[in-house]
Amino acid sequence: MTQKKYQVFISSTYTDLIEERKKVQEILLMADCIPAGMEAFVATTEEQFQIIKKVIDFCDYYVLILGKRYGSINPETGLSYTEMEYEYAVSKGVPVLVFALDDSVVVSADKEEKDAESKRKLAVFKEKAMKNRLASIWKDGGDLSGKVAIAIMKAKEEIVRPGWMRGDSYSTESLERIVKLQEENKAMSEEISNLKEQVGKLEQIPDLAFEGYSVEISYNRNECDKITKSSTLDKIFSYISLNIGEYEVHEKYLEDLVAQSVGYSRSDYCDGFSIKRIINQFVILGFLETWIVDDEGGVYKLTEKGKQMKNMLNAFRIEEQK
């Protein structure tokens, strides 16, 4: 079977993190990834940044390494090119892995910002980036290497990305299989289109359960020890939607999130029917969209309606403190 490889863009300030970037490149190569570090081409002009954006478009994952320098600033945006790269990757839906240097680590003067405004911008950028689900703190090169290795393996397992394969790796049998899959995909697309039309009609039905609707999920520790916990559909969706964010997630990961929303660590020993029915309800309500990836099973993603509901459920409101 042909091994799929994933292209990973490495973003950081350059001169202060040369050695760290090398270590990350080595780890990515060991993980069957293709580093896209642009080592000799760090963005310092708008024209160069436009080229880098095209490289990011073809990447499966984006790794951001933060040290104690903010980097060269674009005069038009007032942001560093590193932060602009990060913002672009997020806007294109490229999964982002963030690794920020521990504030307690002492670095040489040439590796730290001296300008007060640049320090402030770096702090704001770091706070924003660290809100990412796949974010961690590192203290030295070895620590960074280990955390990158774990994060990229986790990302490859949880977040479906197209990846790359050699053009000559496809046998006649593989090409025939691709044609067959294309035909199946066309048929499934038509079926999904019909289902979406039916779902659109269902959305007009006033008695579809959601806010405040109580559900139960049972968990079997063993044959004699059964636990049942209750929650509501809106509380469950509030939890899972925050954890999904902009990503595409596997069915098993989504089922684990539903289990975690009521206090179970994973879905393995849960009542699978209840969990699948809850997920199906979110699809019917138009909050999730789903499709099948060959050999990988079901994949889910928040719809625009689901994103709006996520924001409504998780926003802080003034009346909450009254």
Side-chain angles (χ1 to χ4, degrees), residues 278-291:
I278 290 168
I279 293 173
N280 185 64
Q281 184 75 358
F282 297 149
V283 173
I284 294 174
L285 288 164
F287 298 154
L288 293 174
E289 58 180 321
T290 181
W291 61 96

Side-chain angles (χ1 to χ4, degrees), residues 300-315:
Y300 290 82
K301 185 177 182 180
L302 289 179
T303 63
E304 287 304 315
K305 182 178 179 180
K307 293 175 186 178
Q308 292 175 9
M309 182 57 68
K310 176 194 72 173
N311 293 335
M312 288 177 59
L313 293 173
N314 292 288

Side-chain angles (χ1 to χ4, degrees), residues 27-184:
I27 290 297
L28 292 175
L29 288 169
M30 291 173 63
D32 282 329
C33 293
I34 306 169
M38 306 297 288
E39 296 305 307
F41 194 71
V42 180
T44 56
T45 67
E46 182 61 29
E47 183 179 354
Q48 291 174 333
F49 180 65
Q50 293 304 317
I51 296 174
I52 285 180
K53 283 166 64 175
K54 292 180 180 179
V55 176
I56 294 174
D57 287 340
F58 287 100
C59 285
D60 296 290
Y61 304 98
Y62 173 98
V63 168
L64 172 64
I65 309 170
L66 292 175
K68 293 198 173 184
R69 289 185 59 188
Y70 184 57
S72 301
I73 296 177
N74 181 301
E76 294 185 6
T77 65
L79 301 176
S80 69
Y81 285 98
T82 303
E83 185 167 3
M84 288 170 62
E85 289 173 2
Y86 168 83
E87 293 288 358
Y88 182 75
V90 171
S91 73
K92 300 300 289 186
V94 179
V96 174
L97 288 67
V98 181
F99 305 90
L101 181 62
D102 193 312
D103 290 334
S104 66
V105 175
V106 178
V107 299
S108 57
D110 61 320
K111 294 184 177 182
E112 187 169 9
E113 286 291 355
K114 299 178 179 63
D115 178 68
E117 179 60 13
S118 292
K119 285 185 177 181
R120 185 193 68 79
K121 288 185 175 182
L122 175 60
V124 173
F125 179 25
K126 181 177 179 180
E127 182 181 6
K128 172 176 60 178
M130 289 304 292
K131 292 178 181 178
N132 189 284
R133 183 169 63 87
L134 296 174
S136 57
I137 299 292
W138 60 279
K139 293 188 176 182
D140 54 44
D143 185 31
L144 174 62
S145 297
K147 287 180 176 175
V148 169
I150 293 171
I152 195 66
M153 286 190 294
K154 184 177 180 181
K156 287 164 65 175
E157 289 176 358
E158 297 180 357
I159 308 170
V160 178
R161 298 296 289 168
W164 299 82
M165 290 197 299
R166 285 175 58 95
D168 59 3
S169 65
Y170 292 97
S171 62
T172 302
E173 182 181 347
S174 297
L175 291 173
E176 290 175 350
R177 179 170 172 77
I178 289 173
V179 172
K180 183 179 179 181
L181 288 172
Q182 287 176 335
E183 293 174 349
E184 291 176 355

Side-chain angles (χ1 to χ4, degrees), residues 210-211 234 238 307-322:
F210 182 60
E211 187 172 359
D234 52 318
S238 172
K307 293 175 186 178
Q308 292 175 9
M309 182 57 68
K310 176 194 72 173
N311 293 335
M312 288 177 59
L313 293 173
N314 292 288
F316 289 106
R317 292 178 173 82
I318 295 175
E319 59 266 24
E320 292 177 356
Q321 293 188 340
K322 292 182 178 180

